[in-house]
Amino acid sequence: MTVPTSGHDIEAIKKKALIWTIVGFICGGVIAGVFGLLGYLKADQEPETAKKFTKIAMIITIVVVVLYVIVGILYAVLIGVAASSGM
């Protein structure tokens, strides 16, 4: 059972931070992973700061994934245009 500290569910904060640390390192790069890790490490002493770090990791990861998708689509379009023009 989790015991809320000053109104915060520390275990839930740590779980979310751990998830975004892993997803951040895999999909968002080192910066997103480090922010997630900082969120995890700060959860016991500073839950509000941990939430902020976790949110930053989440935002960075989402932005990077969206950029990957956009670049992938542009690459596919470029290959399609090059193939149709006979290059």
Side-chain angles (χ1 to χ4, degrees):
M1 180 173 158
T2 61
V3 179
T5 306
S6 68
H8 298 288
D9 186 4
I10 302 301
E11 292 303 317
I13 294 171
K14 286 179 115 175
K15 181 179 177 182
K16 188 174 181 180
L18 182 61
I19 290 169
W20 282 106
T21 299
I22 295 167
V23 173
F25 274 121
I26 293 172
C27 300
V30 174
I31 295 173
V34 168
F35 272 108
L37 183 60
L38 287 172
Y40 183 82
L41 295 174
K42 293 266 186 195
D44 289 326
Q45 294 86 18
E46 302 172 35
E48 283 300 319
T49 305
K51 286 181 181 181
K52 289 177 185 176
F53 281 144
T54 303
K55 186 177 281 191
I56 292 169
M58 178 181 66
I59 291 169
I60 291 172
T61 302
I62 291 170
V63 166
V64 169
V65 169
V66 167
L67 289 174
Y68 285 158
V69 169
I70 291 171
V71 168
I73 291 170
L74 290 175
Y75 182 74
V77 168
L78 181 65
I79 295 297
V81 168
S84 68
S85 68
M87 291 181 115

